[in-house]
Amino acid sequence: MSYADYKWIYGHGGGQRKSDRDAKYDKYGDREVMEAEIEKEAIMLCNAKKLEKIMGYKGYFEFLNIEYPSPVYFEGMLYASASHAYHAAKSTDEVVRRRISKMSMIEDLNNTKKSSLITTIVEPEDWKLRRLGVMETVNRDKFRRNKELREKLLATQGRELVNVVPLEHDSEDSLFWGVIKNQGQNQLGRILENIRKDAILNKELEKWVCCNFRLQTDRKAIPIVKFDVYKGGSVLEKIELEGRSYFVFGSREETADIVMLHPSISRTHALLVIDCDSNVILIDPGSKAGTLVDEVPISNNMPYILKKDQKIKFGQSTREYQISIDYSKSLNFFEQEKSKLEKDLKILENLEGEDLDLDTLQKSLGLNKNDTVWVGNLLPSIKEDELREIFEECGKIKSIRIPEDYNTKQGKGFAFITFSDDKGAKSALSRDGIPLYKKFLKVSIAENKPELESRSRKGFREESKERRRRRRRSDSRERRRRNPRRRDSFDTYDDYKRKKYRRDRKRKRSYSDKSSSSSKSHGSRRRDKSSDSSNIEH
Protein backbone atom coordinates (compact mmCIF):
# COMPACT_ATOMS: atom_id res chain seq x y z
CA MET A 1 0.00 0.00 0.00
CA SER A 2 1.43 3.36 -1.01
CA TYR A 3 1.66 6.45 1.15
CA ALA A 4 -1.02 8.22 -0.90
CA ASP A 5 -3.43 5.29 -0.34
CA TYR A 6 -2.79 5.56 3.36
CA LYS A 7 -3.62 9.25 3.33
CA TRP A 8 -6.81 8.54 1.40
CA ILE A 9 -7.88 5.94 3.96
CA TYR A 10 -6.89 8.30 6.73
CA GLY A 11 -9.65 10.62 5.59
CA HIS A 12 -7.83 13.88 4.81
CA GLY A 13 -6.62 13.27 1.24
CA GLY A 14 -3.56 14.68 -0.48
CA GLY A 15 0.10 14.12 0.25
CA GLN A 16 2.19 15.05 3.24
CA ARG A 17 4.76 17.82 3.37
CA LYS A 18 8.40 16.94 2.94
CA SER A 19 9.27 17.99 6.46
CA ASP A 20 6.73 15.54 7.92
CA ARG A 21 8.10 12.69 5.78
CA ASP A 22 11.63 13.53 6.94
CA ALA A 23 10.35 13.33 10.51
CA LYS A 24 8.95 9.86 9.73
CA TYR A 25 12.34 8.78 8.35
CA ASP A 26 14.05 10.09 11.47
CA LYS A 27 11.61 8.13 13.60
CA TYR A 28 11.95 4.74 11.84
CA GLY A 29 15.39 5.13 10.26
CA ASP A 30 14.63 3.25 7.04
CA ARG A 31 12.15 3.79 4.23
CA GLU A 32 10.99 0.16 4.12
CA VAL A 33 10.40 0.09 7.85
CA MET A 34 8.43 3.31 7.60
CA GLU A 35 6.27 2.02 4.73
CA ALA A 36 5.60 -1.22 6.63
CA GLU A 37 4.57 0.74 9.72
CA ILE A 38 2.27 2.96 7.67
CA GLU A 39 0.68 -0.08 6.06
CA LYS A 40 0.00 -1.63 9.47
CA GLU A 41 -1.65 1.58 10.66
CA ALA A 42 -3.71 1.78 7.47
CA ILE A 43 -4.95 -1.81 7.81
CA MET A 44 -5.93 -1.22 11.43
CA LEU A 45 -7.72 1.96 10.44
CA CYS A 46 -9.58 0.12 7.64
CA ASN A 47 -10.77 -2.42 10.18
CA ALA A 48 -11.74 0.40 12.51
CA LYS A 49 -13.93 1.97 9.82
CA LYS A 50 -16.16 -1.12 10.03
CA LEU A 51 -16.66 -0.61 13.77
CA GLU A 52 -19.40 1.51 15.30
CA LYS A 53 -17.54 1.84 18.60
CA ILE A 54 -13.88 2.01 19.54
CA MET A 55 -13.61 -0.29 22.55
CA GLY A 56 -10.39 0.23 24.49
CA TYR A 57 -7.45 2.49 23.84
CA LYS A 58 -4.85 -0.05 22.68
CA GLY A 59 -2.90 -0.70 19.51
CA TYR A 60 -3.48 2.01 16.95
CA PHE A 61 -5.84 3.87 19.30
CA GLU A 62 -3.31 3.97 22.12
CA PHE A 63 -2.95 7.71 21.52
CA LEU A 64 -6.36 8.19 23.20
CA ASN A 65 -4.96 6.91 26.51
CA ILE A 66 -3.87 9.54 29.03
CA GLU A 67 -0.62 7.58 29.57
CA TYR A 68 0.41 8.07 25.93
CA PRO A 69 3.73 10.01 25.86
CA SER A 70 2.85 13.49 24.61
CA PRO A 71 3.87 16.80 26.26
CA VAL A 72 1.22 18.63 28.28
CA TYR A 73 1.47 22.15 29.73
CA PHE A 74 -0.49 22.64 32.95
CA GLU A 75 -0.34 25.60 35.36
CA GLY A 76 3.15 26.79 34.42
CA MET A 77 4.90 23.41 34.02
CA LEU A 78 5.46 21.01 31.13
CA TYR A 79 4.80 17.31 31.78
CA ALA A 80 5.65 14.17 29.80
CA SER A 81 2.02 13.03 29.46
CA ALA A 82 -1.54 13.84 30.47
CA SER A 83 -1.28 11.29 33.29
CA HIS A 84 1.72 13.13 34.78
CA ALA A 85 -0.20 16.43 34.71
CA TYR A 86 -3.34 14.82 36.17
CA HIS A 87 -1.43 13.40 39.18
CA ALA A 88 0.46 16.67 39.68
CA ALA A 89 -2.83 18.59 39.83
CA LYS A 90 -3.74 16.72 43.03
CA SER A 91 -0.85 18.33 44.91
CA THR A 92 -0.52 21.98 45.92
CA ASP A 93 3.19 21.59 46.72
CA GLU A 94 5.40 23.04 43.96
CA VAL A 95 8.30 20.75 44.89
CA VAL A 96 6.17 17.66 44.23
CA ARG A 97 4.95 19.09 40.95
CA ARG A 98 8.48 19.80 39.79
CA ARG A 99 9.57 16.25 40.61
CA ILE A 100 6.67 14.86 38.59
CA SER A 101 7.44 17.22 35.69
CA LYS A 102 11.01 15.86 35.56
CA MET A 103 9.75 12.28 35.11
CA SER A 104 10.24 11.46 31.44
CA MET A 105 8.36 8.14 31.08
CA ILE A 106 5.08 6.77 32.39
CA GLU A 107 7.03 3.88 33.97
CA ASP A 108 8.50 6.43 36.36
CA LEU A 109 5.06 6.92 37.89
CA ASN A 110 4.56 3.16 38.32
CA ASN A 111 8.15 2.48 39.47
CA THR A 112 8.34 1.05 42.98
CA LYS A 113 11.02 3.54 44.00
CA LYS A 114 9.09 6.55 42.79
CA SER A 115 5.52 5.34 43.31
CA SER A 116 5.78 6.49 46.92
CA LEU A 117 5.70 10.04 45.57
CA ILE A 118 2.25 9.46 44.04
CA THR A 119 0.89 7.58 47.04
CA THR A 120 1.95 10.34 49.42
CA ILE A 121 -0.15 12.90 47.53
CA VAL A 122 -3.32 13.49 49.53
CA GLU A 123 -6.33 14.34 47.39
CA PRO A 124 -7.89 17.68 48.41
CA GLU A 125 -11.45 17.79 49.68
CA ASP A 126 -12.82 19.33 46.49
CA TRP A 127 -10.93 16.93 44.18
CA LYS A 128 -14.05 15.04 43.09
CA LEU A 129 -15.53 18.32 41.93
CA ARG A 130 -12.31 19.43 40.21
CA ARG A 131 -11.10 16.20 38.61
CA LEU A 132 -13.42 16.40 35.60
CA GLY A 133 -12.23 19.91 34.73
CA VAL A 134 -8.57 18.93 35.23
CA MET A 135 -8.93 15.92 32.95
CA GLU A 136 -10.55 18.03 30.23
CA THR A 137 -7.82 20.67 30.55
CA VAL A 138 -4.88 18.26 30.22
CA ASN A 139 -6.47 16.38 27.30
CA ARG A 140 -7.26 19.57 25.41
CA ASP A 141 -3.66 20.70 25.84
CA LYS A 142 -2.38 17.29 24.70
CA PHE A 143 -4.24 17.40 21.37
CA ARG A 144 -3.54 21.12 20.86
CA ARG A 145 0.24 20.61 21.03
CA ASN A 146 0.34 17.55 18.79
CA LYS A 147 -1.18 18.09 15.35
CA GLU A 148 -0.68 14.45 14.35
CA LEU A 149 -2.71 13.22 17.34
CA ARG A 150 -5.39 15.78 16.57
CA GLU A 151 -5.71 14.47 13.00
CA LYS A 152 -5.91 10.89 14.28
CA LEU A 153 -8.70 11.92 16.65
CA LEU A 154 -10.57 13.52 13.73
CA ALA A 155 -10.13 10.28 11.74
CA THR A 156 -12.27 8.42 14.30
CA GLN A 157 -15.17 10.50 12.89
CA GLY A 158 -18.47 10.02 14.75
CA ARG A 159 -17.67 6.74 16.52
CA GLU A 160 -18.22 6.33 20.23
CA LEU A 161 -14.95 6.27 22.18
CA VAL A 162 -15.24 3.77 25.05
CA ASN A 163 -12.46 3.58 27.63
CA VAL A 164 -12.44 -0.13 28.56
CA VAL A 165 -10.59 -0.63 31.87
CA PRO A 166 -9.01 -4.04 32.75
CA LEU A 167 -10.56 -6.03 35.59
CA GLU A 168 -7.44 -5.79 37.77
CA HIS A 169 -7.90 -2.00 37.91
CA ASP A 170 -11.44 -2.21 39.25
CA SER A 171 -12.09 0.83 41.48
CA GLU A 172 -14.49 3.73 41.89
CA ASP A 173 -12.11 6.02 39.99
CA SER A 174 -11.84 3.53 37.11
CA LEU A 175 -15.63 3.26 36.83
CA PHE A 176 -15.83 7.03 36.68
CA TRP A 177 -13.34 7.40 33.81
CA GLY A 178 -14.05 4.17 31.96
CA VAL A 179 -16.16 1.02 31.62
CA ILE A 180 -15.74 -2.39 33.26
CA LYS A 181 -18.08 -5.17 32.08
CA ASN A 182 -20.37 -2.64 30.38
CA GLN A 183 -20.68 -0.66 33.60
CA GLY A 184 -19.21 2.79 34.18
CA GLN A 185 -19.62 6.46 33.29
CA ASN A 186 -16.90 6.63 30.58
CA GLN A 187 -16.14 10.28 31.36
CA LEU A 188 -12.76 10.12 29.57
CA GLY A 189 -14.46 8.98 26.36
CA ARG A 190 -16.99 11.79 26.61
CA ILE A 191 -14.22 14.37 27.03
CA LEU A 192 -12.43 13.04 23.94
CA GLU A 193 -15.67 13.14 21.94
CA ASN A 194 -16.23 16.77 22.95
CA ILE A 195 -12.69 17.67 21.86
CA ARG A 196 -13.29 15.95 18.52
CA LYS A 197 -16.59 17.78 18.07
CA ASP A 198 -14.95 21.15 18.79
CA ALA A 199 -12.13 20.36 16.33
CA ILE A 200 -14.69 19.61 13.60
CA LEU A 201 -16.52 22.90 14.30
CA ASN A 202 -13.22 24.87 14.48
CA LYS A 203 -13.88 25.73 18.14
CA GLU A 204 -11.05 23.67 19.60
CA LEU A 205 -8.61 26.59 19.90
CA GLU A 206 -11.10 28.85 21.73
CA LYS A 207 -12.06 26.05 24.15
CA TRP A 208 -8.37 25.32 24.80
CA VAL A 209 -7.76 28.97 25.72
CA CYS A 210 -10.81 29.06 28.03
CA CYS A 211 -9.78 25.84 29.82
CA ASN A 212 -6.02 26.35 30.15
CA PHE A 213 -5.93 30.08 30.93
CA ARG A 214 -8.09 31.65 33.59
CA LEU A 215 -9.37 34.64 31.67
CA GLN A 216 -10.31 37.92 33.33
CA THR A 217 -14.12 37.92 33.37
CA ASP A 218 -14.76 41.37 34.85
CA ARG A 219 -14.57 44.00 32.10
CA LYS A 220 -13.74 46.75 34.58
CA ALA A 221 -10.55 44.94 35.61
CA ILE A 222 -9.29 44.42 32.04
CA PRO A 223 -6.42 46.81 31.15
CA ILE A 224 -6.32 48.76 27.88
CA VAL A 225 -3.73 47.36 25.46
CA LYS A 226 -2.33 49.72 22.82
CA PHE A 227 -0.08 49.02 19.83
CA ASP A 228 1.97 51.53 17.84
CA VAL A 229 2.61 49.99 14.41
CA TYR A 230 6.02 50.99 13.01
CA LYS A 231 7.44 50.49 9.54
CA GLY A 232 10.74 52.05 8.53
CA GLY A 233 10.89 54.06 11.74
CA SER A 234 7.56 55.85 11.18
CA VAL A 235 4.20 55.16 12.84
CA LEU A 236 1.63 53.79 10.38
CA GLU A 237 -1.32 53.31 12.70
CA LYS A 238 -2.36 52.92 16.32
CA ILE A 239 -4.45 50.01 17.62
CA GLU A 240 -6.36 50.04 20.91
CA LEU A 241 -7.86 46.88 22.45
CA GLU A 242 -10.21 47.00 25.43
CA GLY A 243 -13.34 45.45 26.89
CA ARG A 244 -12.38 41.82 26.18
CA SER A 245 -9.84 39.30 27.42
CA TYR A 246 -9.27 37.40 24.15
CA PHE A 247 -8.11 38.74 20.76
CA VAL A 248 -6.98 37.00 17.56
CA PHE A 249 -4.28 38.15 15.11
CA GLY A 250 -4.66 36.64 11.65
CA SER A 251 -5.19 37.06 7.93
CA ARG A 252 -8.97 36.53 7.71
CA GLU A 253 -11.56 39.11 8.66
CA GLU A 254 -14.08 36.39 9.61
CA THR A 255 -11.94 34.97 12.43
CA ALA A 256 -9.37 37.66 13.30
CA ASP A 257 -9.84 40.81 15.39
CA ILE A 258 -6.62 42.37 14.07
CA VAL A 259 -6.25 41.60 10.35
CA MET A 260 -2.76 41.45 8.80
CA LEU A 261 -2.43 41.06 5.04
CA HIS A 262 1.18 39.90 4.67
CA PRO A 263 1.52 36.56 2.74
CA SER A 264 3.42 34.91 5.62
CA ILE A 265 0.57 35.50 8.11
CA SER A 266 -1.53 32.44 9.01
CA ARG A 267 -5.30 32.43 9.37
CA THR A 268 -4.96 32.33 13.15
CA HIS A 269 -1.42 33.57 13.65
CA ALA A 270 -1.36 34.64 17.30
CA LEU A 271 -3.60 35.11 20.34
CA LEU A 272 -3.61 37.91 22.91
CA VAL A 273 -5.03 36.76 26.26
CA ILE A 274 -5.60 38.66 29.53
CA ASP A 275 -5.72 36.34 32.54
CA CYS A 276 -7.33 36.84 35.95
CA ASP A 277 -4.15 38.50 37.29
CA SER A 278 -4.42 41.12 34.48
CA ASN A 279 -1.30 39.76 32.76
CA VAL A 280 -1.19 40.33 28.99
CA ILE A 281 -0.16 37.02 27.40
CA LEU A 282 0.87 36.33 23.78
CA ILE A 283 0.42 32.81 22.34
CA ASP A 284 1.51 31.45 18.98
CA PRO A 285 -0.83 28.50 18.17
CA GLY A 286 1.60 26.95 15.67
CA SER A 287 1.77 29.53 12.86
CA LYS A 288 3.82 28.92 9.69
CA ALA A 289 6.36 31.74 9.98
CA GLY A 290 6.31 32.15 13.78
CA THR A 291 6.18 35.20 16.05
CA LEU A 292 9.10 37.27 17.37
CA VAL A 293 9.24 39.34 20.56
CA ASP A 294 12.27 41.64 20.65
CA GLU A 295 13.77 39.63 17.75
CA VAL A 296 13.48 36.35 19.74
CA PRO A 297 11.02 33.66 18.52
CA ILE A 298 8.46 32.41 21.05
CA SER A 299 7.54 28.72 21.41
CA ASN A 300 4.34 27.36 19.91
CA ASN A 301 1.34 27.00 22.25
CA MET A 302 3.35 28.40 25.18
CA PRO A 303 2.26 31.56 27.04
CA TYR A 304 4.56 34.58 26.89
CA ILE A 305 3.85 37.45 29.31
CA LEU A 306 4.29 40.76 27.52
CA LYS A 307 5.81 43.85 29.11
CA LYS A 308 5.66 47.53 28.27
CA ASP A 309 7.51 48.82 25.17
CA GLN A 310 8.26 45.33 23.81
CA LYS A 311 8.23 44.99 20.01
CA ILE A 312 6.42 42.14 18.27
CA LYS A 313 6.88 40.87 14.71
CA PHE A 314 4.42 38.50 13.08
CA GLY A 315 5.82 36.18 10.40
CA GLN A 316 8.15 37.79 7.87
CA SER A 317 6.37 41.13 7.94
CA THR A 318 8.56 44.21 8.41
CA ARG A 319 5.98 45.90 10.63
CA GLU A 320 6.74 46.15 14.34
CA TYR A 321 4.00 46.32 16.97
CA GLN A 322 5.19 48.17 20.08
CA ILE A 323 2.95 47.44 23.04
CA SER A 324 1.87 49.73 25.87
CA ILE A 325 -0.48 48.69 28.68
CA ASP A 326 -2.76 51.11 30.54
CA TYR A 327 -3.68 49.80 34.02
CA SER A 328 -5.38 52.99 35.26
CA LYS A 329 -8.91 51.68 34.65
CA SER A 330 -8.24 48.34 36.34
CA LEU A 331 -6.47 50.01 39.29
CA ASN A 332 -9.51 52.20 39.94
CA PHE A 333 -11.68 49.08 39.91
CA PHE A 334 -9.44 47.28 42.41
CA GLU A 335 -9.41 50.33 44.68
CA GLN A 336 -13.21 50.39 44.66
CA GLU A 337 -13.29 46.67 45.48
CA LYS A 338 -10.81 47.28 48.30
CA SER A 339 -13.00 50.02 49.79
CA LYS A 340 -16.03 47.72 49.60
CA LEU A 341 -14.15 44.99 51.45
CA GLU A 342 -13.07 47.45 54.12
CA LYS A 343 -16.71 48.47 54.63
CA ASP A 344 -17.71 44.81 54.92
CA LEU A 345 -14.97 44.23 57.49
CA LYS A 346 -16.27 47.13 59.58
CA ILE A 347 -19.79 45.67 59.45
CA LEU A 348 -18.43 42.29 60.54
CA GLU A 349 -16.57 43.88 63.43
CA ASN A 350 -19.78 45.52 64.61
CA LEU A 351 -21.65 42.21 64.33
CA GLU A 352 -18.98 40.25 66.19
CA GLY A 353 -20.27 38.33 69.20
CA GLU A 354 -23.84 37.97 67.91
CA ASP A 355 -25.37 34.65 66.86
CA LEU A 356 -26.27 35.12 63.19
CA ASP A 357 -27.36 32.69 60.53
CA LEU A 358 -26.22 32.89 56.89
CA ASP A 359 -29.33 34.68 55.59
CA THR A 360 -29.19 37.53 58.10
CA LEU A 361 -25.45 37.88 57.50
CA GLN A 362 -26.00 38.17 53.76
CA LYS A 363 -28.71 40.79 54.28
CA SER A 364 -26.50 42.81 56.62
CA LEU A 365 -23.64 42.74 54.11
CA GLY A 366 -25.91 43.43 51.14
CA LEU A 367 -25.05 40.14 49.47
CA ASN A 368 -27.31 38.12 47.20
CA LYS A 369 -27.08 34.62 45.83
CA ASN A 370 -25.07 34.85 42.60
CA ASP A 371 -26.49 31.83 40.78
CA THR A 372 -27.77 33.73 37.71
CA VAL A 373 -25.72 34.99 34.78
CA TRP A 374 -26.59 37.61 32.17
CA VAL A 375 -25.74 36.63 28.57
CA GLY A 376 -25.67 39.47 26.02
CA ASN A 377 -24.84 40.14 22.37
CA LEU A 378 -27.27 37.44 21.19
CA LEU A 379 -29.23 37.22 17.99
CA PRO A 380 -32.98 37.99 18.27
CA SER A 381 -33.76 34.51 16.91
CA ILE A 382 -31.71 32.67 19.57
CA LYS A 383 -33.41 29.64 21.11
CA GLU A 384 -33.28 28.13 24.56
CA ASP A 385 -31.82 24.83 23.34
CA GLU A 386 -28.83 26.58 21.77
CA LEU A 387 -27.99 28.37 25.02
CA ARG A 388 -28.49 25.16 27.00
CA GLU A 389 -26.02 23.34 24.74
CA ILE A 390 -23.36 26.00 25.37
CA PHE A 391 -23.78 26.30 29.15
CA GLU A 392 -24.83 22.78 30.19
CA GLU A 393 -21.19 21.81 30.84
CA CYS A 394 -20.87 24.56 33.47
CA GLY A 395 -23.42 23.07 35.83
CA LYS A 396 -27.04 22.08 36.35
CA ILE A 397 -29.34 24.68 34.76
CA LYS A 398 -32.56 25.49 36.59
CA SER A 399 -34.09 27.93 34.10
CA ILE A 400 -33.33 30.00 30.99
CA ARG A 401 -35.27 33.22 30.42
CA ILE A 402 -35.07 35.09 27.09
CA PRO A 403 -36.97 38.43 27.28
CA GLU A 404 -39.02 39.08 24.13
CA ASP A 405 -39.95 42.30 22.41
CA TYR A 406 -43.66 43.12 22.64
CA ASN A 407 -44.05 44.06 18.97
CA THR A 408 -41.71 41.67 17.13
CA LYS A 409 -42.17 38.68 19.51
CA GLN A 410 -38.41 38.02 19.23
CA GLY A 411 -35.60 38.14 21.75
CA LYS A 412 -34.12 41.44 22.88
CA GLY A 413 -30.54 40.22 22.43
CA PHE A 414 -29.88 39.00 25.98
CA ALA A 415 -30.93 36.19 28.33
CA PHE A 416 -30.79 35.14 32.00
CA ILE A 417 -29.55 31.65 32.93
CA THR A 418 -30.09 30.41 36.50
CA PHE A 419 -27.95 27.53 37.81
CA SER A 420 -28.54 25.28 40.80
CA ASP A 421 -25.58 26.78 42.68
CA ASP A 422 -23.04 29.60 42.55
CA LYS A 423 -20.29 27.37 41.13
CA GLY A 424 -22.19 26.84 37.91
CA ALA A 425 -22.59 30.59 37.45
CA LYS A 426 -18.88 31.19 38.11
CA SER A 427 -17.83 28.51 35.62
CA ALA A 428 -20.24 30.03 33.06
CA LEU A 429 -18.16 33.22 33.13
CA SER A 430 -15.48 31.32 31.18
CA ARG A 431 -17.84 31.42 28.18
CA ASP A 432 -17.41 35.19 27.95
CA GLY A 433 -16.07 36.17 24.55
CA ILE A 434 -16.69 32.88 22.71
CA PRO A 435 -18.05 33.24 19.16
CA LEU A 436 -21.67 32.41 18.34
CA TYR A 437 -23.09 33.16 14.86
CA LYS A 438 -20.27 35.66 14.09
CA LYS A 439 -20.88 37.41 17.42
CA PHE A 440 -18.98 37.23 20.71
CA LEU A 441 -21.01 36.42 23.82
CA LYS A 442 -20.95 38.73 26.82
CA VAL A 443 -21.41 36.86 30.11
CA SER A 444 -21.53 38.40 33.57
CA ILE A 445 -23.17 37.78 36.94
CA ALA A 446 -26.73 39.14 37.05
CA GLU A 447 -26.97 41.76 39.79
CA ASN A 448 -29.82 42.44 42.24
CA LYS A 449 -31.75 39.29 41.43
CA PRO A 450 -34.22 39.53 44.39
CA GLU A 451 -35.06 43.11 43.46
CA LEU A 452 -35.71 42.12 39.86
CA GLU A 453 -37.98 39.26 40.91
CA SER A 454 -40.01 41.33 43.41
CA ARG A 455 -40.29 44.44 41.28
CA SER A 456 -43.87 45.49 40.56
CA ARG A 457 -45.32 46.77 37.32
CA LYS A 458 -45.26 50.28 38.73
CA GLY A 459 -41.52 49.99 39.23
CA PHE A 460 -41.12 49.01 35.61
CA ARG A 461 -43.13 52.08 34.51
CA GLU A 462 -41.00 54.36 36.66
CA GLU A 463 -37.87 52.80 35.22
CA SER A 464 -39.17 53.23 31.67
CA LYS A 465 -39.92 56.91 32.41
CA GLU A 466 -36.40 57.38 33.67
CA ARG A 467 -35.08 55.75 30.49
CA ARG A 468 -37.15 58.15 28.36
CA ARG A 469 -35.78 61.12 30.30
CA ARG A 470 -32.23 59.91 29.75
CA ARG A 471 -32.93 59.36 26.06
CA ARG A 472 -34.29 62.89 25.73
CA ARG A 473 -31.23 64.34 27.42
CA SER A 474 -28.91 62.39 25.16
CA ASP A 475 -30.93 63.46 22.10
CA SER A 476 -30.73 67.10 23.16
CA ARG A 477 -26.98 66.82 23.61
CA GLU A 478 -26.65 65.28 20.17
CA ARG A 479 -28.78 68.03 18.60
CA ARG A 480 -26.75 70.73 20.32
CA ARG A 481 -23.57 69.10 19.14
CA ARG A 482 -24.79 69.01 15.55
CA ASN A 483 -26.31 72.52 15.63
CA PRO A 484 -24.05 74.85 17.65
CA ARG A 485 -26.55 77.74 17.36
CA ARG A 486 -28.92 76.02 19.74
CA ARG A 487 -26.22 75.22 22.26
CA ASP A 488 -26.31 78.64 23.89
CA SER A 489 -30.00 79.32 23.50
CA PHE A 490 -31.35 76.09 25.03
CA ASP A 491 -30.07 74.48 28.21
CA THR A 492 -32.13 71.28 28.08
CA TYR A 493 -34.30 69.42 25.67
CA ASP A 494 -37.43 70.46 27.63
CA ASP A 495 -36.54 74.14 27.17
CA TYR A 496 -36.14 73.54 23.46
CA LYS A 497 -39.56 71.83 23.23
CA ARG A 498 -41.20 74.60 25.25
CA LYS A 499 -39.78 77.39 23.09
CA LYS A 500 -40.54 75.47 19.92
CA TYR A 501 -44.17 75.09 21.02
CA ARG A 502 -44.44 78.84 21.69
CA ARG A 503 -42.84 79.67 18.36
CA ASP A 504 -45.24 77.35 16.51
CA ARG A 505 -48.24 78.93 18.24
CA LYS A 506 -47.08 82.38 17.23
CA ARG A 507 -46.69 81.23 13.65
CA LYS A 508 -50.20 79.76 13.64
CA ARG A 509 -51.68 82.96 15.05
CA SER A 510 -49.87 85.16 12.56
CA TYR A 511 -50.92 82.85 9.72
CA SER A 512 -54.55 82.89 10.86
CA ASP A 513 -54.47 86.71 11.13
CA LYS A 514 -52.98 87.03 7.66
CA SER A 515 -55.50 84.60 6.17
CA SER A 516 -58.42 86.44 7.76
CA SER A 517 -57.15 89.84 6.56
CA SER A 518 -56.55 88.47 3.06
CA SER A 519 -60.03 86.95 2.92
CA LYS A 520 -61.53 90.29 3.96
CA SER A 521 -59.56 92.15 1.30
CA HIS A 522 -60.62 89.60 -1.33
CA GLY A 523 -64.25 90.01 -0.29
CA SER A 524 -64.11 93.80 -0.52
CA ARG A 525 -62.51 93.60 -3.95
CA ARG A 526 -65.25 91.28 -5.17
CA ARG A 527 -67.89 93.67 -3.88
CA ASP A 528 -66.20 96.60 -5.64
CA LYS A 529 -66.06 94.65 -8.89
CA SER A 530 -69.71 93.66 -8.67
CA SER A 531 -70.74 97.25 -7.94
CA ASP A 532 -68.68 98.46 -10.88
CA SER A 533 -70.30 95.97 -13.23
CA SER A 534 -73.79 96.92 -12.03
CA ASN A 535 -73.04 100.58 -12.65
CA ILE A 536 -71.87 99.85 -16.17
CA GLU A 537 -75.11 97.96 -16.97
CA HIS A 538 -77.18 100.82 -15.70
Side-chain angles (χ1 to χ4, degrees), residues 19 40 44 47 57 128 260 266 301 311 330 351 395 460 471 504 525 529:
S19 59
K40 285 182 183 179
M44 294 183 69
N47 295 331
Y57 305 153
K128 288 189 177 180
M260 299 175 289
S266 302
N301 298 306
K311 293 183 179 180
S330 56
L351 295 174
F460 279 112
R471 196 181 299 118
D504 293 339
R525 288 175 185 174
K529 286 182 180 180

Side-chain angles (χ1 to χ4, degrees), residues 469-483 487 491-493:
R469 292 192 194 101
R470 292 175 183 173
R471 196 181 299 118
R472 287 171 186 169
R473 291 169 189 167
S474 63
D475 292 345
S476 64
R477 294 192 196 101
E478 184 66 20
R479 287 192 182 94
R480 279 180 278 163
R481 186 184 67 80
R482 292 180 181 178
N483 193 351
R487 189 174 299 174
D491 295 329
T492 61
Y493 181 72

Side-chain angles (χ1 to χ4, degrees), residues 216-219 222 243-245 372-378 387 390-391 394 415 417 419 424-434 440-446:
Q216 179 62 261
T217 56
D218 201 323
R219 295 181 182 86
I222 296 174
R244 283 169 49 200
S245 55
T372 304
V373 295
W374 174 86
V375 184
N377 205 17
L378 299 173
L387 292 175
I390 296 172
F391 291 93
C394 302
I417 302 177
F419 292 87
K426 290 180 181 178
S427 61
L429 296 176
S430 62
R431 300 295 191 267
D432 183 52
I434 65 172
F440 293 94
L441 296 183
K442 295 180 181 179
V443 185
S444 61
I445 296 293

Side-chain angles (χ1 to χ4, degrees), residues 527-538:
R527 290 193 202 96
D528 295 336
K529 286 182 180 180
S530 60
S531 61
D532 293 341
S533 60
S534 61
N535 293 328
I536 291 168
E537 289 177 357
H538 287 292

Side-chain angles (χ1 to χ4, degrees), residues 378 380 382-384 387 400-404 411-412 414-416:
L378 299 173
I382 195 71
K383 294 182 180 179
E384 183 178 334
L387 292 175
I400 297 177
R401 185 167 62 90
I402 304 175
E404 293 183 352
K412 294 183 178 181
F414 61 92
F416 294 96

Side-chain angles (χ1 to χ4, degrees), residues 125-139:
E125 296 179 356
D126 61 341
W127 178 245
K128 288 189 177 180
L129 300 174
R130 287 177 48 219
R131 59 181 177 176
L132 195 62
V134 171
M135 183 64 77
E136 182 181 2
T137 300
V138 298
N139 275 280

